[in-house]
């Protein structure tokens, strides 16, 4: 049938057929299984926190921030963060009036971010510590499981499945991130696993883009920075964990939640069989 074609023509036909087959195969590839391209996102600059410990042993984090309108002083307790807005000048009387008396004698961590120089910030901290007779706040013991540190994007997705409100405030999701292994039974149950661990490609693409935007926005906000640093310190999280999460989001794929669950399940201690 092809006897009348020259060798050159036959070679050209073969090449065309191979290209056609390749094009057909590419066209039939399931788009759902195609990897997402990495997000083009600006890096997060260093926050610039400095740690200082008072004579009473209370930890204090200092940061140059704010503007002519002032800045913030916050107290991190075991249950909440109390944030005070202070003016750039004449802050002493304002601070005195705002001191939360219900914290007197309790443990706390201080965070100060504003336009004041280092000496002024330390003076503020010393005044608050002595006025409230604050005690050192002991961070939580333990460390973040390696599985979560390696799969931060999947961890954030799963924490929001457990606590949807955290989707609005990604800077405050650390407590749930920290306790995620304790929720493993619920996460891997048939009723919730499909909903939590198997997002579609488009859903993941939209989610990671929005989360990266929110994380960047919180990082650049002076008040949110206080909440982020307070949680990092209290939960003994690596100082660069927030930026790691931001970076991992940009590289992540829709399989991230399932990969985290697999890792947590594989490293979970085996339960002893019940004795009857």
């Amino acid at each position: 049938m092809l006897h009348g074609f020259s060798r050159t023509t036959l070679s050209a036909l073969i090449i065309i057929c191979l290209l056609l087959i390749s094009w057909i195969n590419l066209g039939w590839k399931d788009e759902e299984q195609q990897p997402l391209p990495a997000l083009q996102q600006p890096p997060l600059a260093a926050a610039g926190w400095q740690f200082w410990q008072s004579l009473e042993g209370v930890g204090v984090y200092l940061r140059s921030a704010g503007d002519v309108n002032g800045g913030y002083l916050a107290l991190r307790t075991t249950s909440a963060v109390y944030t005070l807005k202070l003016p750039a000048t004449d802050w002493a009387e304002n601070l005195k009036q705002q001191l939360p008396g219900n914290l007197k004698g309790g443990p706390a961590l201080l965070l100060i971010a504003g336009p004041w120089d280092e000496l002024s910030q330390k003076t503020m901290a010393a005044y608050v510590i002595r006025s409230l007779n604050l005690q050192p706040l002991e961070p939580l013991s333990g460390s973040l499981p390696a599985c979560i540190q390696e799969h931060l994007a999947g961890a954030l997705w799963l924490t929001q499945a457990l606590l949807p409100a955290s989707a609005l405030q990604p800077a405050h999701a650390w407590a749930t991130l920290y306790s995620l292994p304790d929720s493993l039974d619920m996460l891997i149950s048939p009723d919730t696993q499909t909903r939590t661990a198997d997002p579609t490609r488009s859903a993941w693409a939209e989610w990671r883009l929005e989360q990266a935007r929110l994380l960047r926005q919180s990082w650049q906000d002076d008040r949110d920075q206080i909440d982020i640093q307070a949680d990092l310190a209290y939960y003994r999280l690596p100082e660069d964990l927030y930026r790691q999460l931001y970076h991992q989001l940009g590289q992540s794929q829709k399989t991230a939640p399932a990969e985290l669950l697999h890792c947590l399940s594989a490293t979970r201690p085996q339960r002893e069989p019940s004795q009857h």
Side-chain angles (χ1 to χ4, degrees), residues 40 59 70 73 87 117 141 173 179-180 245 276:
Q40 299 299 315
L73 182 148
D117 58 37
S141 59
S179 61
L180 192 59
L245 169 58
H276 295 286

Side-chain angles (χ1 to χ4, degrees), residues 176-195:
T176 315
L177 270 176
Y178 192 85
S179 61
L180 192 59
D182 297 333
S183 306
L184 189 57
D185 283 338
M186 182 173 68
L187 284 170
I188 64 178
S189 68
D191 293 337
T192 60
Q193 190 168 9
T194 300
R195 176 174 60 86

